[in-house]
Amino acid sequence: MTVALAALVPGALLGWAVYETAGGGSRGGGADRTATAAPTSGRSAASPTDDAKRPSGTPAAPASGSLKGKVVVIDPGHNQGNFQHADEINRKVDIGTNKKECDTTGTSTNDGYTEARFTLDVAHRLRTLLEKQGATVKLTRDGDSPAWGPCVDERARIGNAAHADAAISIHADGSAEGNRGFHVILPGSVHAGAADTRPIVGPSRDLGTRVAGTFLRETGEPPSNYLGEGTGLVTRTDLGGLNLSTVPKVFIECGNMRDSKDAALLTSGTWRQRAAQGISEGIVSFLRGS
């Protein structure tokens, strides 16, 4: 099954039917789930140094590649500091369709490797790859700044203010053992309050299907066996980071941190590099329109 799936290319994924989940549906909740395990003080043996990190404030190399002039915003989900700022992250913010917590702690592996650390490491690796292609890359959070959050509405505003050509939020899920695989979350059509996703639904779907195809090809991680009916694509209308976006944007849940097989991949620096490569190739394909 895995071998057959790995042979798929983005063109095949573009023909997939999209499985809609209304109001969150049945999910593990990596995009907005509160973890049950607190972060560990040190690094686990399975999680190598975040070797793709560029010190905060260090300027990028001059853009010179095929994506020169393109802006990409990467949103590493959650924040290590959220564990110490419960009052702040529990504050409700308006996401258009309703009000929701500012942010959550995210999930973790059973050994304590947190989603927040995972997402930031993948974001750093992805930034490096995209900058090599000439893109201007902005992160919604970087290192220890800010100390918590940002709130989900602010994460959307960062992409909007940058006039991003593409934006992606990096996550990992926290479902049950045996539930494995990745899925890409697409914005559903929302027109309520401050939210109006109608102009971005089409281009976001294009971005998401391309990312799903290249992520599958580069990582060998199968599409989720518990969401999306095997397509690797899920549409949601309850995520502030998507509802409030005015630029093409998707979320990717790279795997399930609570499944032992997926956790072994997510805690591998080598695999995280492949994950970043897969996401990068999907974004590049989208921005080139090829």
Side-chain angles (χ1 to χ4, degrees), residues 4 18 20 22 34 53-54 90 106 120 123 137 147 161 181 185 188 190 195 219-221 246 273 285:
V18 177
E20 303 256 342
T34 300
K53 182 175 180 179
R54 186 177 73 222
N90 285 326
L120 187 61
V137 181
I185 304 175
V190 173
T219 66
E221 176 76 346
T246 60
Q273 186 64 32
S285 173

Side-chain angles (χ1 to χ4, degrees), residues 14 28 48 67 112-113 135 186 261:
L14 288 170
L67 296 185
Y113 179 60
L186 313 175
K261 291 181 180 178

Side-chain angles (χ1 to χ4, degrees), residues 234-271:
V234 174
T235 300
R236 287 175 62 173
T237 59
D238 65 322
L239 297 176
L242 294 181
N243 285 5
L244 300 174
S245 181
T246 60
V247 300
K249 185 175 182 180
V250 298
F251 281 40
I252 182 168
E253 300 277 3
C254 297
N256 176 21
M257 301 196 92
R258 295 293 185 169
D259 175 76
S260 56
K261 291 181 180 178
D262 272 4
L265 300 175
L266 297 166
T267 54
S268 162
T270 300
W271 188 87

